Amino acid sequence: MTTGASTPVRPGRQRSQAADDAILTATLELLSDRGYGGFTVSAVIERAGVSSATLYRRWPTKQQLVAAAVASIVPQPTAADTGTLKGDLRAFLIDFSQSIAARREDIAEGLAHELKHNPELAAALREKFLVPRLDELEKVLSRAVQRGELTRRPMTEVAYSLVVGPIYHRAFVMVRPLTADFLAEATLQALRGLGGDRA
């Protein structure tokens, strides 16, 4: 007996947001409690109350899971086309400062030590944090060239260091707040550094 052509096909299993949230929350809690060195995926499975298949279907490696969990508490860059390079840079720096404000020091310190000798973790975190920001800055620079605001296009990674370097220095070296006034001044300096003030 053959199956008719009209027999409905079962849809694939839908991803559960509740399971995602439970896994990511458990990951953050364990990273805070035990640090990366004491962190295990099996402990996440137990605390989140999910199956190993559920977790590994979402995040195949420990490094990807940790990167996803840390990224879940940090705002991702938003596409903001303000019509000017200055406005785009300002929006970019505001997004970036918000990601710093959301940083969990109890987790970040342990990961910073681990990154020195764990290239897989470094690659996973780069993919989650740096790559989206480089992509967004690439769009900012491309629009500025199209509008004639930039005549000499810097490499995106070089521009990124120039634009966000002062934010890192202010927040982590000087340990000073990223105020609206500081972000406004940083925007102007970034604009000058990129050559956008001469357009």
Side-chain angles (χ1 to χ4, degrees):
M1 187 174 178
T2 60
T3 303
S6 61
T7 302
V9 178
R10 269 186 202 174
R13 183 176 298 174
Q14 298 298 306
R15 179 163 172 160
S16 165
Q17 185 61 48
D20 286 6
D21 292 343
I23 292 167
L24 296 175
T25 297
T27 299
L28 291 170
E29 290 173 352
L30 289 164
L31 285 171
S32 180
D33 293 345
R34 305 180 183 181
Y36 189 86
F39 174 88
T40 64
V41 175
S42 60
V44 173
I45 291 169
E46 180 180 357
R47 183 170 294 200
V50 299
S51 69
S52 58
T54 295
L55 186 147
Y56 283 113
R57 189 164 53 242
R58 291 157 166 78
W59 298 287
T61 70
K62 172 181 176 179
Q63 293 83 9
Q64 289 173 339
L65 172 59
V66 168
V70 176
S72 71
I73 59 175
V74 176
Q76 291 299 296
T78 55
D81 184 355
T82 66
T84 68
L85 176 57
K86 180 181 178 181
D88 287 357
L89 288 174
R90 173 66 182 241
F92 186 85
L93 288 179
I94 289 173
D95 266 0
F96 191 78
S97 68
Q98 289 173 345
S99 73
I100 289 178
R103 175 182 163 111
R104 288 269 304 268
E105 292 299 330
D106 56 332
I107 295 173
E109 289 182 7
L111 292 181
H113 173 74
E114 184 68 24
L115 286 173
K116 297 176 182 177
H117 50 84
N118 190 327
E120 293 84 5
L121 178 61
L125 288 171
R126 176 186 172 90
E127 187 66 26
K128 278 289 183 183
F129 291 94
L130 182 58
V131 170
R133 286 168 175 79
L134 287 174
D135 288 346
E136 183 55 34
L137 185 58
E138 171 77 20
K139 295 172 186 175
V140 168
L141 297 175
S142 294
R143 289 195 298 265
V145 170
Q146 291 169 3
R147 290 190 295 252
E149 294 176 285
L150 288 180
T151 55
R152 179 180 174 275
R153 167 65 184 276
M155 292 180 59
T156 303
E157 288 199 8
V158 172
Y160 183 80
S161 295
L162 176 67
V163 170
V164 306
I167 309 300
Y168 270 114
H169 188 271
R170 174 85 171 182
F172 300 121
V173 177
M174 298 184 68
V175 195
R176 299 291 299 278
L178 297 173
T179 63
D181 286 345
F182 177 79
L183 291 175
E185 182 62 29
T187 299
L188 289 176
Q189 296 301 327
L191 187 66
R192 291 168 186 156
L194 293 172
D197 62 333
R198 295 190 294 272

